[in-house]
């Protein structure tokens, strides 16, 4: 079930080949949905689901897809899955679906997802493609959650909406950093994470 190749497909995107930190993909949604943890987690789970299922579907039909229309076929598959995810969110978590707004719909054009369909699912069997989708989705989600945790903690003093910084800190003059919930701070936070990651993995600088 988990051969060396399958393990690499599942675990490499978590760090060694992380789509955000190494490939520098998915930055737009990382900036947009990480002001707090709840929408970031929901966005991450949505991307994992769409990526894993679309990888499997494209892998199953890869031999019957004409080369000239493969991008269109991929978009149709992804769009159908995104619509299902969007309707599920509206039905079961309407408030978060409003926070995410158009960004769930923009999963259709997520460069991580389209890249994995083109580079992996079209050339591999369904099981490895499923693992690749899960791995890359998790790698993306981990960064989303880390960025959201930093921004929410220092920008609002909360995590998942629960007060973390005690009231006595505010009584003694502490104030939340309003800059942290603005999009530019998401970019700076991601840049700092990339810097730390590459400092700990110097071999990435050689690629």
């Amino acid at each position: 079930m988990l051969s060396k190749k399958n393990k690499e497909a599942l675990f490499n995107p978590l760090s060694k080949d992380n789509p955000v930190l190494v490939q520098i993909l998915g930055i737009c949604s990382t900036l947009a949905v990480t002001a707090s943890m709840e929408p970031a987690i929901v966005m991450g789970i949505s991307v994992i689901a769409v990526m894993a299922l679309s990888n499997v579907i494209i892998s199953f039909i890869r031999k019957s897809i004409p080369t000239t229309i493969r991008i269109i076929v991929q978009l149709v598959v992804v769009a159908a899955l995104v619509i299902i995810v969007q309707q599920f969110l509206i039905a079961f978590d309407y408030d978060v679906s409003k926070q995410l707004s158009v960004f769930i719909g923009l999963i259709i054009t997520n460069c991580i997802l389209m890249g994995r369909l083109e580079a992996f699912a079209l050339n591999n069997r369904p099981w490895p493609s499923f693992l690749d989708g899960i791995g890359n989705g998790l790698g993306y989600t981990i960064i989303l959650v880390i960025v959201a945790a930093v921004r929410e903690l220092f920008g609002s003093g909360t995590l998942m909406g629960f007060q973390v910084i005690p009231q006595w800190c505010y009584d003694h003059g502490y104030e939340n950093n309003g800059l942290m919930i603005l999009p530019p701070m998401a970019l700076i936070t991601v840049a700092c994470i990339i810097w730390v990651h590459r400092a700990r993995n110097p071999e990435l600088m050689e690629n």
Side-chain angles (χ1 to χ4, degrees):
M1 292 290 283
L2 284 180
S3 63
K4 182 180 179 181
K5 181 181 178 181
N6 289 346
K7 286 181 180 178
E8 289 177 352
L10 180 60
F11 295 115
N12 277 6
L14 302 184
S15 177
K16 183 179 178 180
D17 197 24
N18 187 278
V20 179
L21 301 184
V22 180
Q23 302 175 45
I24 319 297
L25 300 175
I27 297 294
C28 295
S29 54
T30 305
L31 306 185
V33 302
T34 55
S36 60
M37 285 186 67
E38 187 177 6
I41 291 171
V42 173
M43 181 69 171
I45 292 172
S46 301
V47 169
I48 291 170
V50 172
M51 189 173 293
L53 292 175
S54 60
N55 264 17
V56 170
I57 293 170
I58 293 299
S59 178
F60 266 120
I61 64 175
R62 68 188 188 281
K63 294 181 180 179
S64 60
I65 301 175
T67 304
T68 52
I69 61 168
R70 69 185 189 283
I71 300 296
I72 297 174
V73 174
Q74 292 169 24
L75 286 172
V76 169
V77 170
V78 173
L81 292 171
V82 168
I83 290 171
I84 293 171
V85 168
Q86 200 165 33
Q87 294 304 309
F88 183 87
L89 282 178
I90 291 171
F92 293 99
D93 203 339
Y94 183 70
D95 290 338
V96 173
S97 73
K98 286 180 66 178
Q99 289 182 54
L100 291 173
S101 184
V102 299
F103 297 107
I104 288 291
L106 289 176
I107 292 175
I108 296 170
T109 57
N110 190 307
C111 43
I112 301 173
L113 194 147
M114 296 304 296
R116 298 322 296 169
L117 291 178
E118 187 74 10
F120 199 92
L122 281 174
N123 302 299
N124 290 274
R125 296 167 65 90
W127 176 241
S129 297
F130 175 77
L131 294 177
D132 180 79
I134 293 291
N136 279 275
L138 281 173
Y140 167 80
T141 302
I142 288 169
I143 304 307
L144 228 62
V145 171
I146 292 172
V147 174
V150 171
R151 294 181 68 197
E152 184 178 357
L153 178 62
F154 293 105
S156 305
T158 61
L159 286 176
M160 292 295 291
F162 296 100
Q163 193 68 37
V164 174
I165 297 177
Q167 184 58 43
W168 64 263
C169 290
Y170 295 100
D171 295 339
H172 286 78
Y174 177 83
E175 292 185 13
N176 294 325
N177 187 344
L179 287 174
M180 290 301 296
I181 59 177
L182 298 179
M185 288 308 297
L187 185 60
I188 292 172
T189 305
V190 171
C192 290
I193 295 171
I194 292 173
W195 173 63
V196 171
H197 182 260
R198 297 203 174 192
R200 293 177 61 87
N201 299 274
E203 69 277 5
L204 296 176
M205 302 295 291
E206 300 172 2
N207 296 330

